[in-house]
Amino acid sequence: GNSVTQMEGPVTLSEEAFLTINCTYTATGYPSLFWYVQYPGEGLQLLLKATKADDKGSNKGFEATYRKETTSFHLEKGSVQVSDSAVYFCALPNQAGTALIFGKGTTLSVSS
Amino acid sequence: GAVVSQHPSWVICKSGTSVKIECRSLDFQATTMFWYRQFPKQSLMLMATSNEGSKATYEQGVEKDKFLINHASLTLSTLTVTSAHPEDSSFYICSARGLAGEGLPGELFFGEGSRLTVL
């Protein structure tokens, strides 16, 4: 079935540093891909998505490109802020398309 | 975006008691709701999928008699942990998918989560 693997954390960066969080997937076909974010004390919220190969999702300065050649959907941001400190989850639908499968989450900690 | 609310956000109970967690979609009708369980530093594990007016579909390994799910209306689903034990202590998260047209395929709206501690 479908699965997703994302890099282990935690990731610790200084403000304005460049961020990359790796995510690779295994799937039948080309499902939509998602990044969710969980800020401290809050529920998960959708950060960005891409619905087909070569699409680039973007939001709040974050970007991720759906690359079918490398089966990857890496999350990037050019200049992180302290407020970006959170847990980031890569996700894709299960094979039946009935629910989302999540990666283990990567904790990002940004210091000023 | 759409709002999903869970209650309570924190609950502590004694071993052997039952605990009910509510999940409500506040500004949309949710035909399908999902219950996830999140262990510390681990991913969200899907427990069950519930469709309004029908029985929940449980994932393999999840005890349906232990985790009772009811989705009685288009805005409310409940998870009841029966005869709770310390190993049931976890973070339970619900999510909802709206009717057709509310959110893209696969896009879910999440509650804030409910932390259960069983003493």
Side-chain angles (χ1 to χ4, degrees):
Chain A
N2 295 355
S3 66
V4 61
T5 303
Q6 64 181 100
M7 64 185 285
E8 300 276 335
V11 174
T12 303
L13 296 173
S14 298
E15 209 164 23
E16 300 184 1
F18 184 86
L19 168 72
T20 300
I21 300 178
N22 291 338
C23 171
T24 57
Y25 67 90
T26 302
T28 302
Y30 302 104
S32 297
L33 300 174
F34 304 83
W35 276 100
Y36 279 81
V37 58
Q38 186 176 29
Y39 296 104
E42 299 183 18
L44 275 78
Q45 54 187 275
L46 180 65
L47 178 61
L48 55 83
K49 59 186 178 290
T51 57
K52 60 183 186 294
D54 298 326
D55 261 7
K56 177 184 284 187
S58 61
N59 184 28
K60 299 182 180 181
F62 290 89
E63 293 183 340
T65 301
Y66 189 159
R67 300 198 185 282
K68 63 178 181 180
E69 305 84 9
T70 53
T71 61
S72 65
F73 193 55
H74 303 325
L75 182 68
E76 297 181 335
K77 186 172 186 180
S79 176
V80 294
Q81 305 299 314
V82 173
S83 57
D84 294 326
S85 297
V87 183
Y88 293 82
F89 293 90
C90 187
L92 80 169
N94 60 10
Q95 196 160 345
T98 54
L100 284 182
I101 300 170
F102 290 85
K104 291 191 174 183
T106 303
T107 300
L108 170 65
S109 179
V110 181
S111 57
S112 58
Chain B
V3 178
V4 175
S5 179
Q6 275 183 249
H7 177 80
S9 54
W10 290 85
V11 57
I12 300 174
C13 70
K14 292 182 179 180
S15 185
T17 61
S18 295
V19 174
K20 180 185 286 187
I21 301 170
E22 295 185 345
C23 176
R24 295 182 184 272
S25 56
L26 299 185
D27 52 1
F28 69 103
Q29 293 181 317
T31 52
T32 305
M33 286 185 170
F34 305 87
W35 286 96
Y36 288 85
R37 183 173 179 177
Q38 184 180 25
F39 293 98
K41 299 184 179 180
Q42 294 191 33
S43 183
L44 284 73
M45 301 301 297
L46 180 65
M47 298 175 66
T49 302
S50 72
N51 292 294
E52 186 266 338
S54 62
K55 290 184 178 180
T57 302
Y58 290 81
E59 295 299 300
Q60 192 171 9
V62 178
E63 300 175 60
K64 56 184 67 177
D65 294 331
K66 173 77 169 176
F67 299 100
L68 300 179
I69 292 172
N70 183 283
H71 192 164
S73 76
L74 285 172
T75 59
L76 173 65
S77 176
T78 59
L79 168 67
T80 301
V81 183
T82 62
S83 187
H85 290 283
E87 58 266 30
D88 299 325
S89 299
S90 192
F91 196 55
Y92 294 89
I93 302 175
C94 75
S95 64
R97 178 187 296 151
L99 296 173
E102 294 180 28
L104 292 180
E107 180 175 353
L108 300 178
F109 305 104
F110 284 83
E112 311 93 325
S114 299
R115 184 165 301 284
L116 169 63
T117 301
V118 185
L119 302 176

